[in-house]
Amino acid sequence: MKPNPNTPSSSIVTRNIADITGDNGNVYEAIAVISKRANQLSIKLKEELNDRLAEFASTVDNLEEVFENREQIEVSKQYERMPKPTSLAIEEFLQGKVYYSTPEPEEVPVPRELF
């Protein structure tokens, strides 16, 4: 996953709540959508990192291990420098790249005994 150049590198960014509420004006729904997208991105990044680090897995101790550890550290640092999944999810949401739908509420029959 390549970092988006438009995503702010700083971890603290002030956001306008009106921008986040989206079309329906429901901030709670928008936060839930962003949260689910951030979880998806987090899982994807973790899988990518684990796949890249699995290349360095070795059962044999040798002199090349020191060099491999440096490469492994560089890969880890590269992922640490990437924007956090929450920041990526917020940017995707604000740019309209996240698709979601809200199901219509079901009508629940009320028992007559309550009247």
Side-chain angles (χ1 to χ4, degrees):
M1 172 176 250
K2 303 279 185 203
N4 184 351
N6 298 328
T7 303
S9 59
S10 125
S11 61
I12 300 175
V13 177
T14 304
R15 303 281 182 183
N16 185 352
I17 197 78
D19 294 340
I20 293 177
T21 56
D23 297 334
N24 65 0
N26 187 340
V27 69
Y28 301 106
E29 184 175 282
I31 297 297
V33 169
I34 292 170
S35 172
K36 288 181 182 184
R37 179 63 181 147
N39 285 337
Q40 290 173 343
L41 292 171
S42 176
I43 290 168
K44 185 176 180 180
L45 283 173
K46 185 181 272 189
E47 288 173 354
E48 286 179 11
L49 177 60
N50 288 337
D51 289 345
R52 289 193 63 192
L53 293 178
E55 297 172 5
F56 300 106
S58 173
T59 57
V60 180
D61 293 333
N62 55 26
L63 295 176
E64 294 177 3
E65 193 171 302
V66 174
F67 180 70
E68 287 179 359
N69 283 342
R70 279 191 226 141
E71 289 178 352
Q72 187 175 4
I73 290 169
E74 285 303 314
V75 169
S76 296
K77 285 182 180 180
Q78 176 188 357
Y79 276 86
E80 287 176 7
R81 287 189 294 263
M82 291 177 68
K84 303 297 179 222
T86 305
S87 298
L88 294 172
I90 291 170
E91 288 302 316
E92 286 181 1
F93 184 82
L94 293 176
Q95 294 172 3
K97 295 180 180 178
V98 177
Y99 172 78
Y100 67 97
S101 64
T102 307
E104 293 295 322
E106 294 180 16
E107 197 170 305
V108 178
V110 179
R112 293 185 128 321
E113 296 129 15
L114 295 178
F115 291 108

